Amino acid sequence: MLALGSALYTLIMQNTQNYVLQNAAGAVVARIVHRGVTGGWDIDAPSTMSAGLVCGLYVFSRYLERENEFLTV
């Protein structure tokens, strides 16, 4: 759960490379989707969302992805 002001949001990891930010009503507010083989990311967020918040969500989602990788020794 993320609390931004008085609004609550939930960041959901759909799989290791796709994330959705939902509001309390369950509506999708933002998406972070990996492009697959071609590489890169598509970030779909409203223009009213601050760039710092979008950047933070991206960095946090990348952190979650790294945490879910298996270590190979």
Side-chain angles (χ1 to χ4, degrees):
M1 289 290 239
L2 300 169
L4 303 173
S6 61
L8 292 176
Y9 297 94
T10 304
L11 183 63
I12 298 171
M13 178 191 287
Q14 293 180 321
N15 57 43
T16 59
Q17 297 180 334
N18 296 311
Y19 302 86
V20 173
L21 184 67
Q22 291 182 342
N23 63 15
V28 174
V29 177
R31 282 184 201 280
I32 301 172
V33 180
H34 191 264
R35 290 186 190 145
V37 178
T38 60
W41 297 84
D42 287 327
I43 300 174
D44 180 25
S47 60
T48 56
M49 189 176 281
S50 75
L53 178 59
V54 173
C55 250
L57 287 172
Y58 172 76
V59 169
F60 185 64
S61 66
R62 295 288 293 153
Y63 167 77
L64 290 175
E65 184 178 331
R66 293 285 181 210
E67 282 294 310
N68 285 327
E69 288 182 354
F70 289 110
L71 291 176
T72 311
V73 180

